[in-house]
Amino acid sequence: MEKTLHQFFQILRRYDVEVTTTEAVDALQAVRLLGYGNRHRLKAALGGVLAKSEEEKSMFNDCFEGYFRVPEEVSFSSGDSLTDEDEYSQDMQEEMQQILETTNNAEALNELLASSRDSKPQLDEAQDIENLGVQSKLGQILLTGEQEEFTILMAQAARQVELHQLTQRHLKGRFARQMMIQMGFPELETEIKDFQQRLDPKAKHVADLLQQAQSGARHQVMQYVGQQLLLQTGNHDERTLERITRETNLNDLDLGLYDNVYRVVQKMVRRLLAIHQRRKKLYNRGQLDVPKTLRKNMRYDGMLFEPYWKRRKIDRPKLYVLVDVSKSVSAVSGFLLTFLYSLNELLPRVRAFAFSSELGEVSHYFEQATLQEAVEKTIEEFSLSCTDYGRSLEDFERVCLHELDNRATVIILGDGRSNHLNPRQDILKAIYTRAKKVIWLNPEPRYRWGTGDSEMPLFEPYCHTLEECRTLNDLEHVVDSVLSQHGQ
Amino acid sequence: MSRAQLNAYIRHSLPDLSIEELERGYATEGYICNEHVTTSVFLAQKMDKPILVEGPPGVGKTELAKATAKVLDLPFIRLQCYEGLDESKAIYEWKYGKQLLYTQVLKDKLSGILSDEKDLQSAVHRLRGFSDTFYSEEFLEPRPLLKALTNEQSSVLLIDEIDKSDYEFEAFLLELLSDYSISIPEIGTISAKATPMVFLTSNNTRELGDALKRRCIHLFIEFPDAELERTIISSRVPEISETLREQLVDFVQGVRQLELKKQPAVSETIDWARALLLLHADSLDAALVKRTLHLLLKFRQDLESVTPQVEEILIKGKI
């Protein structure tokens, strides 16, 4: 069974559930302790040892259901070494029975078994199958209608042809053929021909039955191989998907896949949290304060028992985010806000403003609704009119300029295209003078800055940092640098 | 005793209960749980691994540790985590007062003992001959974690709300969780006399480190389904009538389907059941629910959003 579990680990890794060597060893130990008798317990045990977050847990559940699945594709046995075949088969049958009792597919399988049992009377008519001399193992299994045995045979064949190596769709047919050879389809074929040539009507009847069963069995093998392929490759290999999502221009991403993108964002956020939380703490405790230590230890006769550390008050930074939500920029804006509000543990004081022709605060949306809803509301409310940077900056000046001080960072995300209206760069200058840092993120490539109605050259002198920002990777980089500055 | 022998000894020091025995034990203690929970506890006990219990507040994470202590008949040690918790509060502290007295006594005695030494060098030489007790276990004040390790008997150690502690503290815990030992710089490593059964709980207010997660068996306790919740209520509030119990559980399950700031937990269902019992209620009606809804929902916004839907939820429950 170990081999089966190792294959399962491989699949989990492919689906982005990290399985380290220690965890693999733990999982094997857990399985050894519990056995395979109870599917629920097996799932609980493997889940407990292998899945380490809610996200991984749900991924694990999907993989478990897909991999340890009955009836057609019981991979319990797909990769096993069958050193003690008979004993193993017996165990396997018991296991199967138990799995059947607990699985969701039980009903479907029972129906299947019932139908195969229904077909038995026909066989009982030809009670003397053996007398008729059905020699091939596959033929016997098919005629008796024992689904379990067929599944075991299929799983053994899968192991022999190393089905777990199937990762490319065009090889599906080849693997299926190899499996059928291993399962004894060619022998069965010869046998059917043999029966058909006999004159005995009973033999003809058996031949018909065998042929019918054979085509059903072939279908099952194809289905099994197909499902294994899906599991091995996943039509969405998580890592490749993540890489593509990170590198694609956010405007080109299909927002129907918002959940996928959001998952990638959450992962990036966790990474940022892990890095910056530690940094914050390191910064938290200062050096040894000698005078205070001496004073504190006077009562111990000058013995230095209790050191006193200098503590610096943690500077809670203020972050103002102004996002352009006009059509060309809205996707990037949405994800920037998602990023920043996901980091509320590190950035508790984010104030978000959205603008196109007018500017308004949207922080309250993020406090009340889920991130996705808040982003949708923001875009819906502000994206209708044409962009006017001058007016939007005037609005910001009126609401917030007086609050800005040397703890404030202002992030502006926009393409700087103001429809030839007055861009009011003087207000940006005022912001630049008061705030600790002004960061401008532009989703357009640099060579387009200053072309047409782009006012970037006017804004540029009043930004501490000016960067292109089109993909999730760019966003992560920007947020990372904002957090680093606050940690210093 | 070699390390292997020590491990073998440690392994056997925990009671050895099967999953079924655990199930029965929990039921006797009034802690009703599913097979998932008992399987995890069984594995933790067999594999000498801590359990990290995660889940929304009020699903019985802390209760699980307490119930386990009762089922296994072991002493229960609890460490509540919070921001700023450090090793002096969680692991050990030196008894400064006693150490100070010791130095005073030493000073007095030393002058007598060393008076016949001719020069400083020989005095220092002689001093080296004495054992160093200044930093010894004698002056060590054990805090919960060290207590759990130095106990002669195994214990159930609950490290509650680990997500509230700092990253540094999480790092301190790594040694304890994997080797059941603690290193004290002045003394050395103290290993467990009898391995404790460790429960860590987290409400996920922050992401825990991978190193910590790797060392634990994970258990996610979710809100119970209707059937389990009914069993819980009948175990904790046995006096309640069957009709009321059915209605109450269906209503709570209905409320959990809504988008709320805080979903009602099992503990709140129990409180509500007790309150209804005090009010001599036999069945639920909209007026009664509205009057007592604050026992179930703890936020004003939640109350405001659920109140208008009470009738609807009650009808759905009946269906």
Side-chain angles (χ1 to χ4, degrees):
Chain A
M1 292 313 274
E2 284 188 10
K3 220 169 171 184
T4 311
L5 280 174
H6 282 301
Q7 278 175 24
F8 182 55
F9 300 154
Q10 292 296 340
I11 287 171
L12 283 176
R13 285 181 188 129
R14 214 167 285 143
Y15 279 79
D16 227 11
V17 178
E18 290 288 340
V19 180
T20 61
T21 319
T22 337
E23 281 159 359
V25 172
D26 286 346
L28 289 173
Q29 197 190 345
V31 170
R32 232 169 273 143
L33 282 167
L34 286 171
Y36 294 88
N38 185 322
R39 191 168 187 267
H40 279 310
R41 285 183 189 171
L42 181 71
K43 191 174 170 184
L46 289 178
V49 178
L50 300 173
K52 296 163 291 290
S53 65
E54 264 183 71
E55 200 183 31
E56 284 192 1
K57 190 93 186 161
S58 89
M59 210 50 103
F60 169 86
N61 286 342
D62 291 349
C63 289
F64 186 89
E65 294 301 334
Y67 192 71
F68 294 105
R69 187 167 159 182
V70 282
E72 295 94 341
E73 56 291 329
V74 176
S75 354
F76 261 144
S77 55
S78 65
D80 265 323
S81 56
L82 300 178
T83 42
D84 195 348
E85 203 163 327
D86 289 340
E87 194 187 320
Y88 174 78
S89 302
Q90 210 179 349
D91 287 352
M92 193 66 208
Q93 280 176 22
E94 282 168 19
E95 259 168 38
M96 285 290 305
Q97 202 48 47
Q98 271 152 342
I99 294 159
L100 291 178
E101 281 160 15
T102 49
T103 179
N104 293 337
N105 288 342
E107 224 170 280
L109 182 65
N110 282 336
E111 269 174 34
L112 206 85
L113 285 176
S115 67
S116 63
R117 270 179 222 115
D118 289 345
S119 64
K120 269 188 189 172
Q122 290 175 312
L123 300 175
D124 291 339
E125 285 169 24
Q127 180 49 272
D128 37 10
I129 305 165
E130 281 173 31
N131 299 343
L132 283 167
V134 177
Q135 297 290 331
S136 66
K137 196 179 171 192
L138 181 62
Q140 285 170 4
I141 292 174
L142 291 178
L143 280 181
T144 49
E146 291 295 340
Q147 178 67 37
E148 291 99 324
E149 282 196 30
F150 179 74
T151 315
I152 293 167
L153 193 70
M154 190 158 63
Q156 285 170 359
R159 183 188 63 81
Q160 279 154 351
V161 304
E162 298 186 327
L163 188 61
H164 61 275
Q165 289 186 358
L166 170 63
T167 49
Q168 285 168 321
R169 190 168 286 277
H170 67 275
L171 294 176
K172 207 174 124 184
R174 188 197 289 177
F175 272 92
R177 266 196 307 283
Q178 284 175 352
M179 263 180 75
M180 287 185 207
I181 294 170
Q182 290 292 339
M183 288 170 77
F185 274 74
E187 289 81 359
L188 179 66
E189 190 70 45
T190 327
E191 205 163 24
I192 292 173
K193 275 184 191 153
D194 184 36
F195 273 113
Q196 278 168 340
Q197 280 161 6
R198 287 195 213 171
L199 293 170
D200 185 357
K202 273 187 183 173
K204 281 217 183 304
H205 181 57
V206 172
D208 286 348
L209 282 176
L210 276 175
Q211 206 157 22
Q212 213 179 335
Q214 187 200 27
S215 80
R218 197 172 269 150
H219 177 71
Q220 280 201 37
V221 173
M222 286 304 290
Q223 216 179 0
Y224 178 69
V225 173
Q227 269 153 351
Q228 288 298 311
L229 173 73
L230 200 68
L231 205 60
Q232 303 289 354
T233 55
N235 52 7
H236 45 84
D237 184 321
E238 286 294 322
R239 284 189 190 169
T240 321
L241 191 72
E242 183 185 324
R243 190 175 49 78
I244 296 169
T245 313
R246 275 167 167 265
E247 289 167 6
T248 311
N249 188 334
L250 283 167
N251 280 321
D252 299 338
L253 276 181
D254 177 7
L255 286 184
L257 297 172
Y258 182 88
D259 285 347
N260 281 337
V261 185
Y262 183 65
R263 215 171 39 234
V264 176
V265 171
Q266 284 306 311
K267 208 170 155 188
M268 292 164 129
V269 164
R270 277 202 298 278
R271 199 186 71 84
L272 288 174
L273 272 175
I275 297 171
H276 293 283
Q277 248 168 350
R278 289 201 183 98
R279 192 180 293 169
K280 189 183 100 181
K281 281 294 160 192
L282 279 179
Y283 169 65
N284 222 348
R285 190 164 106 170
Q287 292 171 320
L288 183 72
D289 188 334
V290 180
K292 280 199 176 156
T293 305
L294 286 176
R295 202 173 313 139
K296 203 173 174 188
N297 288 288
M298 289 286 258
R299 55 190 159 146
Y300 303 128
D301 216 10
M303 291 269 201
L304 303 182
F305 278 124
E306 287 182 58
Y308 189 91
W309 303 98
K310 281 179 187 164
R311 280 179 195 274
R312 286 191 223 169
K313 196 179 155 196
I314 308 168
D315 180 27
R316 294 278 184 207
K318 288 192 280 186
L319 195 61
Y320 295 83
V321 192
L322 282 72
V323 293
D324 181 353
V325 286
S326 59
K327 203 163 179 287
S328 55
V329 198
S330 62
V332 188
S333 303
F335 283 107
L336 175 69
L337 291 176
T338 307
F339 247 110
L340 295 175
Y341 276 95
S342 302
L343 286 163
N344 57 358
E345 205 176 307
L346 294 179
L347 297 168
R349 293 168 66 190
V350 180
R351 286 185 70 182
F353 301 86
F355 67 90
S356 51
S357 68
E358 287 173 9
L359 176 136
E361 183 158 5
V362 290
S363 314
H364 52 282
Y365 290 156
F366 287 86
E367 281 149 23
Q368 286 160 8
T370 63
L371 282 173
Q372 190 179 354
E373 283 166 7
V375 169
E376 277 167 11
K377 264 190 188 172
T378 304
I379 293 173
E380 198 180 295
E381 190 176 330
F382 289 91
S383 66
L384 293 173
S385 42
C386 63
T387 327
D388 181 351
Y389 276 77
R391 197 159 152 206
S392 303
L393 284 172
E394 278 168 20
D395 288 342
F396 184 74
E397 180 188 28
R398 202 175 49 249
V399 183
C400 276
L401 191 66
H402 62 280
E403 286 181 20
L404 297 184
D405 56 24
N406 61 359
R407 282 184 300 159
T409 298
V410 180
I411 300 179
I412 303 172
L413 192 147
D415 55 7
R417 295 193 178 273
S418 194
N419 292 310
H420 302 291
L421 298 162
N422 181 3
R424 295 295 309 268
Q425 69 274 21
D426 55 311
I427 301 179
L428 187 65
K429 187 181 176 185
I431 297 173
Y432 175 79
T433 324
R434 297 181 69 112
K436 180 183 174 190
K437 203 151 184 119
V438 176
I439 302 170
W440 191 299
L441 307 173
N442 194 330
E444 282 190 348
R446 200 173 273 265
Y447 68 87
R448 292 187 59 193
W449 297 1
T451 60
D453 60 348
S454 170
E455 309 288 357
M456 284 317 287
L458 294 176
F459 290 134
E460 196 166 352
Y462 309 119
C463 301
H464 295 93
T465 313
L466 193 59
E467 283 186 60
E468 277 181 47
C469 183
R470 278 198 300 273
T471 64
L472 284 182
N473 271 346
D474 294 342
L475 271 178
E476 186 189 37
H477 170 70
V478 169
V479 177
D480 190 17
S481 63
V482 170
L483 291 172
S484 308
Q485 281 148 18
H486 285 308
Q488 280 162 15
Chain B
M1 200 184 274
S2 73
R3 178 90 190 159
Q5 281 172 321
L6 184 72
N7 281 343
Y9 167 74
I10 285 176
R11 198 155 293 133
H12 291 295
S13 56
L14 267 179
D16 211 4
L17 296 189
S18 69
I19 296 185
E20 289 73 20
E21 283 168 326
L22 279 171
E23 243 160 46
R24 278 196 295 276
Y26 283 132
T28 321
E29 292 303 329
Y31 186 83
I32 313 294
C33 56
N34 56 25
E35 207 177 19
H36 207 98
V37 175
T38 42
T39 308
S40 302
V41 175
F42 170 79
L43 282 179
Q45 162 200 272
K46 287 277 185 187
M47 293 166 71
D48 286 331
K49 279 195 157 249
I51 305 188
L52 173 61
V53 195
E54 291 186 286
V59 288
K61 299 187 290 291
T62 308
E63 268 318 293
L64 173 65
K66 286 185 189 166
T68 311
K70 283 180 191 159
V71 171
L72 302 180
D73 195 19
L74 297 175
F76 178 67
I77 300 172
R78 177 175 179 165
L79 173 71
Q80 177 66 47
C81 297
Y82 51 87
E83 206 179 326
L85 177 71
D86 58 13
E87 68 265 50
S88 67
K89 285 165 196 138
I91 307 177
Y92 68 93
E93 178 70 297
W94 291 107
K95 294 175 181 169
Y96 295 125
K98 272 197 177 173
Q99 276 178 324
L100 194 65
L101 277 174
Y102 170 73
T103 49
Q104 298 289 353
V105 174
L106 203 65
K107 225 192 238 173
D108 294 346
K109 292 283 172 200
L110 275 182
S111 52
I113 294 169
L114 300 177
S115 58
D116 50 338
E117 293 297 337
K118 285 175 218 153
D119 53 16
L120 181 66
Q121 205 170 0
S122 55
V124 170
H125 185 72
R126 187 150 182 204
L127 197 60
R128 274 199 203 123
F130 297 115
S131 62
D132 184 14
T133 42
F134 189 81
Y135 282 123
S136 64
E137 287 188 39
E138 224 170 293
F139 293 122
L140 208 58
E141 176 74 56
R143 302 285 193 218
L145 297 186
L146 191 60
K147 243 185 232 171
L149 291 191
T150 48
N151 242 358
E152 292 295 334
Q153 190 196 356
S154 272
S155 53
V156 170
L157 170 65
L158 168 66
I159 303 174
D160 213 4
E161 302 189 320
I162 176 75
D163 50 330
K164 302 252 168 73
S165 69
D166 307 317
Y167 273 104
E168 289 90 333
F169 182 69
E170 216 183 288
F172 282 135
L173 279 183
L174 297 181
E175 188 188 3
L176 172 83
L177 296 181
S178 54
D179 296 345
Y180 293 106
S181 62
I182 281 174
S183 293
I184 296 176
E186 296 87 350
I187 297 181
T189 305
I190 297 183
S191 295
K193 289 185 178 161
T195 183
M197 179 140 191
V198 185
F199 285 83
L200 297 114
T201 71
S202 159
N203 283 333
N204 250 335
T205 54
R206 74 168 167 84
E207 191 74 13
L208 297 174
D210 278 349
L212 182 98
K213 286 182 162 188
R214 262 204 309 278
R215 284 166 171 79
C216 303
I217 288 178
H218 287 252
L219 174 63
F220 293 83
I221 304 186
E222 281 156 20
F223 288 122
D225 56 22
E227 200 188 324
L228 188 62
E229 193 157 26
R230 271 194 281 272
T231 326
I232 296 172
I233 297 295
S234 53
S235 150
R236 301 299 284 265
V237 195
E239 307 86 0
I240 198 164
S241 75
E242 201 175 320
T243 335
L244 184 58
R245 191 182 64 212
E246 295 278 323
Q247 285 179 326
L248 178 122
V249 171
D250 287 343
F251 184 82
V252 174
Q253 293 278 337
V255 170
R256 286 204 193 112
Q257 304 295 320
L258 307 173
E259 278 293 325
L260 296 178
K261 213 167 173 178
K262 189 191 170 294
Q263 307 277 6
V266 186
S267 50
E268 276 135 7
T269 317
I270 296 172
D271 286 348
W272 196 35
R274 285 193 181 130
L276 291 174
L277 203 66
L278 284 175
L279 293 170
H280 305 293
D282 292 325
S283 64
L284 278 188
D285 58 60
L288 179 67
V289 173
K290 283 179 188 169
R291 222 162 9 113
T292 52
L293 200 57
H294 59 276
L295 286 160
L296 206 59
L297 300 169
K298 302 294 159 71
F299 285 91
R300 195 171 51 85
Q301 294 100 308
D302 289 350
L303 275 172
E304 280 168 5
S305 75
V306 172
T307 310
Q309 302 182 57
V310 166
E311 283 88 355
E312 201 185 320
I313 302 170
L314 278 172
I315 292 166
K316 265 190 202 162
K318 272 181 201 159
I319 298 164

